């Protein structure tokens, strides 16, 4: 019974993390697109590079979270 409750909390946590990451990716990509409408300067290109870096980090985290969520939902745990 206790194990089922822990598993339920883990699944709920994965859903919430996926929602948070989806929001972060959406806002960050919108910010990067918005930077293309700013006048050319060093800071524009600096923030675009930093934005793409964080976008890659969040997309990677989103993919890992989806894999973990699928493992919990479909009970296909991989031996590591």
């Amino acid at each position: 019974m206790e194990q089922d409750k822990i598993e339920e909390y883990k699944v709920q946590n994965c859903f919430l993390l996926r929602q948070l990451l989806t929001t972060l990716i959406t806002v960050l990509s919108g910010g990067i697109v918005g930077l293309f409408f700013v006048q050319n300067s060093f800071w524009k290109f600096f923030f675009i590079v930093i934005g793409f870096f964080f976008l890659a980090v969040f997309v990677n985290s989103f993919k890992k979270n989806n894999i973990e969520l699928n493992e919990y939902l479909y009970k296909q745990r991989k031996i590591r």
Side-chain angles (χ1 to χ4, degrees):
M1 182 67 181
E2 187 70 27
Q3 186 68 21
D4 293 337
K5 198 69 165 171
I6 292 172
E7 190 111 353
E8 181 182 335
Y9 285 134
K10 286 181 180 180
V11 169
Q12 188 177 20
N13 186 31
C14 282
F15 274 122
L16 293 174
L17 181 60
R18 185 174 72 173
Q19 182 181 7
L20 174 70
L21 287 171
T22 303
T23 304
L24 278 171
I25 290 169
T26 304
V27 170
L28 188 58
S29 15
I32 292 171
V33 169
L35 282 173
F36 286 112
F37 296 107
V38 177
Q39 291 180 345
N40 288 341
S41 70
F42 168 75
W43 291 108
K44 171 186 172 177
F45 297 113
F46 175 74
F47 286 126
I48 287 174
V49 169
I50 295 296
F52 276 122
F53 170 74
F54 280 109
L55 188 63
V57 168
F58 289 139
V59 166
N60 189 26
S61 180
F62 182 78
K63 287 179 4 184
K64 287 181 182 179
N65 184 44
N66 272 344
I67 291 170
E68 182 179 354
L69 185 60
N70 285 338
E71 287 176 358
Y72 284 128
L73 292 178
Y74 300 116
K75 306 288 184 188
Q76 295 175 349
R77 296 182 187 257
K78 297 178 182 177
I79 299 174
R80 298 177 191 211

